[in-house]
Amino acid sequence: MKKLVVSMLTIILALGLVACGQGNSSQGKGQGGNSQQGTAGDQIIIGNLQDLSSTTSVWGKAVTNGAQLAIDKINKDGGLNGKKLKLVTYDTKNDVQEAINAYNRLASQDKAVAIIGPPVSNIGIALAPIAENTKVAILGSFIDERATTKNDGKPWGYNFLIQPSSVQQAQIVAGYTLDKLNAKKIGVLYNQANAYSVSLAKPFVDYVKSHGGQIVSEQAYKTSDKDYKTQLAEIQAAGAEAIYMPNYIQENVLAVQQARQIGIKVPIVGGLDFAPPFAKLAGDAANDIYFPNNIAAEDPQIKEVAAAYKAAYNEEPLNKAFIGYDSILVIADAIKRAGTPDPVKVRDAMEQTKDLQGTTGTISISPKTHRPYGLSMVMIKIDKGQYVTKERYITKEQQQQ
């Protein structure tokens, strides 16, 4: 935690902080009545768009709690520029239109300096052009690269990513599957109606094919589907030595349970959705599963933040909580370097984020992509329901970027 504490203190001391006390969060309540964008009275407003009541609410609540934990720490130590931070949260209900409406309220009514976006790619993609026009930046964990990159290859001006993109994550998993698990024949099961799943499936397939592996069966399903046994049987019959499942947690639970029920015993690999609480939900089927995580539970900075989280919320933090925590660190750092809560200047500073120590690693954002670069991920194995840290991993190609 020493590096993280130093980083937090550097932000605080450099700003000549003078105030003290606890911050608070407002859910769905606009501040209004203040013409200065980014502030409301003696507060700096940071927006937060998360699902708090629908299918991805387990993530949204974790991001929100992690963000609030970081804000509470900054406020306790004096705030920024003599002002306290305030998190204003709206429930997106995992609905694109709800998210758009909430973003507009945060930007125009609440006067947010920047907004934390959800870990939902469909929403991130929809918000990108809106943020471009409104000019209040979104720092999200929506990993589909279409949420940060336009069709012409240039970055969306006001959308930023806090974690490795779908392409980066898929390549990490593909490289690990080929090199560490020695699986060369691989099956894929993914949700063809979900931008998140599609954004992880294609780069995984491309990487495997270009690095000596073989995709023996590629099976798709729709969001409304609940029975995947036909697709899984096809993969099994094709002789897959591992199965890639880049899907949301609820779908992964069903797919893994059904795979084990029909006798599939090969390793299963996938994305961040295998993180807790997956193993608890999947029960006995949660075994021989590998995925990349943002954090290693053994890291000192993780232990201290996790302890603070448990003390505040009386529960163990999910990995998304650390995404929320680091999102506040990045935004606070950008406000510090901008010297003002003006959203455009904060956006410009966010684009130049470099070597910021967070809980998920050292964060640098590329001005060319608005995504992190050089950020490895921690490979985790689920062994009989237990999460076991294997190693930090990054492909050779990504090491050279």
Side-chain angles (χ1 to χ4, degrees):
M1 185 62 187
K2 290 183 179 180
K3 292 184 179 179
L4 185 58
V5 171
V6 171
S7 177
M8 294 290 292
L9 290 176
T10 299
I11 292 172
I12 294 163
L13 293 175
L15 289 166
L17 307 169
V18 296
C20 62
Q22 291 294 329
N24 52 56
S25 176
S26 173
Q27 293 191 4
K29 296 181 180 179
Q31 302 306 306
N34 193 297
S35 60
Q36 185 180 1
Q37 186 74 25
T39 64
D42 61 350
Q43 298 174 321
I44 296 175
I45 305 302
I46 297 176
N48 182 40
L49 297 175
Q50 304 297 331
D51 173 16
L52 300 179
S53 61
S54 187
T55 55
T56 59
S57 61
V58 65
W59 303 340
K61 292 173 184 176
V63 173
T64 300
N65 288 347
Q68 188 62 52
L69 189 70
I71 283 179
D72 288 345
K73 178 171 176 54
I74 292 173
N75 286 344
K76 183 179 180 181
D77 292 333
L80 296 179
N81 285 347
K83 293 180 179 291
K84 298 297 181 66
L85 299 181
K86 182 172 184 177
L87 189 70
V88 177
T89 298
Y90 285 100
D91 183 1
T92 68
K93 303 176 184 177
N94 198 26
D95 180 84
V96 170
Q97 191 57 54
E98 285 279 350
I100 291 172
N101 294 341
Y103 171 85
N104 288 330
R105 288 197 298 273
L106 284 168
S108 62
Q109 178 179 333
D110 299 320
K111 308 297 183 185
V113 62
I115 296 169
I116 301 173
V120 180
S121 293
N122 292 4
I123 291 176
I125 292 168
L127 287 174
I130 297 171
E132 189 94 346
N133 293 326
T134 307
K135 301 190 183 309
V136 177
I138 304 171
L139 178 62
S141 48
F142 30 63
I143 64 174
D144 188 322
E145 292 192 350
R146 291 176 295 173
T148 44
T149 303
K150 300 178 183 179
N151 291 334
D152 63 5
K154 296 179 181 179
W156 286 107
Y158 284 78
N159 262 23
F160 294 85
L161 184 63
I162 187 67
Q163 64 177 329
S165 72
S166 56
V167 172
Q168 293 169 318
Q169 291 191 31
Q171 290 174 345
I172 285 172
V173 177
Y176 191 86
T177 303
L178 293 171
D179 299 338
K180 302 295 184 176
L181 301 184
N182 296 313
K184 308 301 181 184
K185 297 180 179 180
I186 304 168
V188 179
L189 177 69
Y190 73 102
N191 185 343
Q192 63 184 351
N194 188 303
Y196 168 81
S197 296
V198 174
S199 72
L200 284 167
K202 186 179 185 305
F204 179 93
V205 169
D206 291 345
Y207 188 96
V208 168
K209 289 181 177 179
S210 64
H211 287 75
Q214 180 183 359
I215 301 298
V216 295
S217 181
E218 188 173 341
Q219 299 290 321
Y221 63 87
K222 302 184 295 294
T223 303
S224 59
D225 293 342
K226 303 299 180 186
D227 188 339
Y228 316 120
K229 290 181 181 177
T230 299
Q231 293 97 323
L232 288 166
E234 291 284 345
I235 293 172
Q236 184 180 33
E241 298 169 343
I243 302 176
Y244 180 54
M245 297 182 183
N247 309 304
Y248 282 172
I249 184 170
Q250 297 91 341
E251 297 164 5
N252 279 342
V253 168
L254 292 176
V256 169
Q257 288 175 337
Q258 292 169 21
R260 299 316 188 199
Q261 286 169 7
I262 67 172
I264 293 177
K265 298 180 180 180
V266 301
I268 292 172
V269 297
L272 282 163
D273 300 272
F274 282 114
F278 168 82
K280 182 178 180 180
L281 298 174
D284 292 341
N287 185 48
D288 204 13
I289 297 170
Y290 299 81
F291 69 96
N293 202 3
N294 302 105
I295 61 167
E298 296 82 3
D299 288 348
Q301 71 269 23
I302 294 299
K303 289 183 177 181
E304 187 162 334
V305 174
Y309 186 100
K310 188 172 183 180
Y313 303 112
N314 196 32
E315 63 183 18
E316 296 292 338
L318 305 181
N319 67 322
K320 293 291 190 296
F322 298 97
I323 292 291
Y325 195 96
D326 283 359
S327 295
I328 293 298
L329 296 189
V330 170
I331 292 172
D333 176 67
I335 295 171
K336 179 200 100 171
R337 288 183 290 104
T340 172
D342 176 78
V344 174
K345 292 182 179 179
V346 170
R347 172 263 175 216
D348 293 343
M350 198 180 302
E351 190 177 61
Q352 301 298 324
T353 300
K354 186 173 177 60
D355 296 335
L356 178 67
Q357 183 62 49
T359 61
T360 59
T362 303
I363 302 169
S364 299
I365 294 177
S366 169
K368 296 180 180 179
T369 65
H370 285 191
R371 299 190 289 267
Y373 60 90
L375 188 58
S376 63
M377 299 192 76
V378 181
M379 293 304 301
I380 306 291
K381 179 182 181 180
I382 303 178
D383 184 14
K384 297 180 181 178
Q386 300 299 310
Y387 288 87
V388 180
T389 300
K390 300 299 290 184
E391 61 184 293
R392 276 199 172 270
Y393 184 86
I394 189 171
T395 68
K396 294 179 181 179
E397 294 91 340
Q398 290 174 2
Q399 286 177 340
Q400 298 169 359
Q401 292 177 354

